[in-house]
Every structure is written in C-alpha cells, then in structure tokens.
Amino acid sequence: MKPFKSLTYTSPQTGPRLIVLGAVHGNELAGTRGIERVMAELDSGALQLACGSVTFVPITNPLAYEKQQRAGDRNLNRNLCPTEEPHEFEDLIANWLCPLLAQHDVLLDLHSFQSPGQPFAMVGPLNNDGPLEPFKFAHEEEALAVRLGVGRLVDGWLSTYAHGVEVRLARMPASASRAERLSADARYGVGTTEYMRAQGGYAITLECGQHDDPQGPEVAYRAIHNTLAHLGISSEVAPPAAAESVEALHIYEVIDRLDAEDNFSRTWASFDVLKAGDIIGRRANGEVLVAECDGYILFPNSKALPGHEWFYLARATDRFRA
C-alpha cells in the first residue's frame, strides 16, 4: 500500500493557503491528471507563485486508486472526521486528511461522475449560524465558483441529505447494522468540503465530467489555474466572473431506494429535465414516483442498495445572479 502523499509549494510572500484534492474516489482520475500537469509547471518554473501556498494531494485515497474503484472499504466522502477507533481504511485517511485540510483556507476538490454530462460545481450554503452547517464565507465561495470555467453550480447538498436522514430514521428497524446506522446520521453527509467549512474555510467540489471524458483532465487543469489566479496565489491574470451565464440549481429532496425491485421508468442521467407529472420510477409495491414540479433529476443510481440514496431532485434558482 502506497503511503499518503501531499506536496506543498510555498511563496516567500504570505497569502491564502489553497489545497487541491484528486482521487478522493479512486476511479475519478481527471483531478489527478490535472494536478500532475500543474505540478510539472511549478517544478519547471512555467508557473510561478506570487504569494501564499498551494498543497496538492494527487491521490487522496490510495487503496481505492490501487483497486481502480470508487472506494476502498467505504466512501471517503461520507462521514469524514477524525476517529480514535478506525474501522475502515478510509478512517485512517481521515485521520491524516482532516488535520491537513484544517491547515488551509480554501479547498478545491476535483471529481468526475459515471453517466454522460457536462462539468458542474457544488457549493455550500448561504451565510448562516444554524446548527447543521454554519457558514460565513458564502460570498467568497460564490466569487470563486463563477470563475472555475463551468456553466452549472449546485447547492443544497447537506441540508437535503439531513432531511433525508430524518425520513430514513423513521423506517429503520432496531436490528439495523452499523453501516445502516451510519447512513442515517446527518454527519454521514459530511465530505471534504463540508468538513473544510466546519474548520473555518471555504470549499468547492468540481465535477469535471464523465470518468472517461478525455476533456476531464483539461477541466481540472483550467480550474486549478483559475483558482490560483483568483486567489492571487499565482501571478496569472484572474479570469472574469461568469455569473450571468451560469445555471444555478438547488437540491431540495433525496429519495431512497427501499427495495431491490424499485426501478426507474427510464434510464436517467444527472440534470435530465423533469416536468411536473413526469413518472420517475415505480416502487416494488406499485407506488408511482412522480415529479411534483418542474426541475431536474440528479445523481440517479440504478445500482443503489435498498436503504440508500436512489436519486435527488433539484430546481433552478437565481442565487448567482443577485
């Protein structure tokens, strides 16, 4: 097993501290390749830092990367926190990664996805002092998001997941397994970006396209450059904001699969348009799942296990046009 590895480039001038992650999921390589390309430019002097620092983690989950699959023992991007009693390999990663994240101000986490689709970014909540995800850097996060070079921004992840947990808990039997109990804890929805915000920083997840899209590494590469320039860490000119051309969506509901015989009405892909009344799927007991309003389906998973997320619903917002 390869050791955990990070590499930090630091300017003599003080400034923001950025951390960039690749391969949090071991089969998502666009970020890894983009990171490698930027590191080569820094090593050669083709790219120079003006201030601050940038830390790269090209392969965040070496076990999953070695297996060429999404997870090693479990999904690293769920229930992310240090633990004194590690059970899975991802717990060991968390004990190393979480303190590293806390040493930085900004996180760019680079991912890809299974079905065909366009790159998009996931951002955090508006500023709030609530109990779930208190936050005070929404403006800074939004300013970075509209400069990453993607045309779609999505928010609402953790609040929607937490609401889904309430529904899941209500139907969970007393004999539920440890894994099932974990999935019914709102903290299970905490991944790298949510953990970063809890440590006083801000963070964006960038989905660079389908896993095998040859343009994915380029999306990651350009996003790293744009982030370094926007934060003033590199000497490059920061890209202009593209808020007016960005499509903004808010996730508002998660639907679990309850039975292995629950099936979609068709093959869905993330961001497929839904019209009110569209049939999304059917439960094993005959219940028909219908879109209650116009919107979009996100992260449909035809291989979801019973008791786990099956798909999400989202609607358009004007958040980034304000």
Side-chain angles (χ1 to χ4, degrees):
M1 179 60 60
K2 294 181 179 179
F4 304 138
K5 176 183 176 181
S6 65
L7 185 63
T8 300
Y9 297 82
T10 304
S11 167
Q13 305 298 320
T14 59
R17 299 166 297 176
L18 171 68
I19 182 167
V20 184
L21 304 183
V24 164
H25 296 132
N27 62 338
E28 300 179 10
L29 306 184
T32 302
R33 303 297 172 247
I35 287 171
E36 291 169 344
R37 186 175 168 189
V38 174
M39 288 175 57
E41 292 178 341
L42 286 164
D43 289 340
S44 70
L47 176 63
Q48 298 187 2
L49 301 188
C51 69
S53 67
V54 56
T55 296
F56 294 107
V57 185
I59 301 172
T60 309
N61 191 331
L63 177 59
Y65 182 84
E66 186 176 80
K67 291 183 174 182
Q68 300 181 32
Q69 61 190 35
R70 180 175 175 82
D73 294 329
R74 67 168 179 85
N75 187 348
L76 177 61
N77 219 24
R78 298 287 189 275
N79 194 39
L80 183 68
C81 64
T83 177
E84 294 181 358
E85 298 181 359
H87 292 274
E88 293 96 7
F89 183 75
E90 279 75 6
D91 294 337
L92 299 175
I93 300 175
N95 284 346
W96 166 75
L97 180 62
C98 289
L100 183 62
L101 291 174
Q103 295 169 18
H104 294 80
D105 304 310
V106 185
L107 164 65
L108 178 62
D109 189 4
L110 301 166
H111 288 255
S112 59
F113 46 85
Q114 182 175 353
S115 59
Q118 297 300 310
F120 66 96
M122 296 189 69
V123 299
L126 297 171
N127 289 340
N128 72 94
D129 57 2
L132 181 63
E133 194 178 11
F135 193 44
K136 61 180 180 180
F137 292 115
H139 175 75
E140 290 82 354
E141 205 169 271
E142 291 168 0
L144 172 58
V146 297
R147 289 173 169 84
L148 289 178
V150 297
R152 181 180 283 137
L153 304 177
V154 181
D155 69 10
W157 159 256
L158 191 57
S159 59
T160 301
Y161 189 91
H163 177 70
V165 161
E166 295 178 5
V167 176
R168 193 175 296 163
L169 278 170
R171 64 171 184 267
M172 183 163 292
S175 59
S177 67
R178 175 179 176 272
E180 289 171 328
R181 291 194 303 271
L182 273 176
S183 71
D185 184 333
R187 291 173 299 176
Y188 191 73
V190 171
T192 57
T193 53
E194 292 78 20
Y195 186 84
M196 187 71 179
R197 294 183 194 110
Q199 303 308 303
Y202 60 97
I204 293 176
T205 295
L206 177 61
E207 299 281 356
C208 299
Q210 189 178 25
H211 297 326
D212 298 326
D213 188 338
Q215 290 303 310
E218 178 69 21
V219 173
Y221 169 78
R222 287 298 347 150
I224 297 169
H225 267 271
N226 291 351
T227 300
L228 289 169
H230 171 69
L231 296 175
I233 297 175
S234 77
S235 54
E236 295 181 314
V237 176
E244 291 305 315
S245 61
V246 163
E247 180 184 28
L249 303 180
H250 175 73
I251 303 172
Y252 68 89
E253 188 171 5
V254 56
I255 304 297
D256 284 355
R257 197 176 196 182
L258 303 183
D259 189 285
E261 297 303 316
D262 291 353
N263 290 303
F264 287 122
S265 61
R266 47 160 281 194
T267 300
W268 295 103
S270 278
F271 304 105
D272 278 349
V273 173
L274 292 172
K275 296 296 183 181
D278 283 352
I279 296 175
I280 301 171
R282 290 178 173 83
R283 299 283 194 195
N285 64 5
E287 179 188 359
V288 178
L289 301 181
V290 176
E292 296 182 355
C293 63
D294 293 353
Y296 303 80
I297 188 170
L298 269 63
F299 318 134
N301 183 3
S302 61
K303 299 180 181 179
L305 296 174
H308 292 264
E309 306 118 279
W310 193 18
F311 62 92
Y312 288 77
L313 297 172
R315 60 170 66 97
T317 75
D318 60 359
R319 174 177 174 181
F320 299 93
R321 299 178 187 275

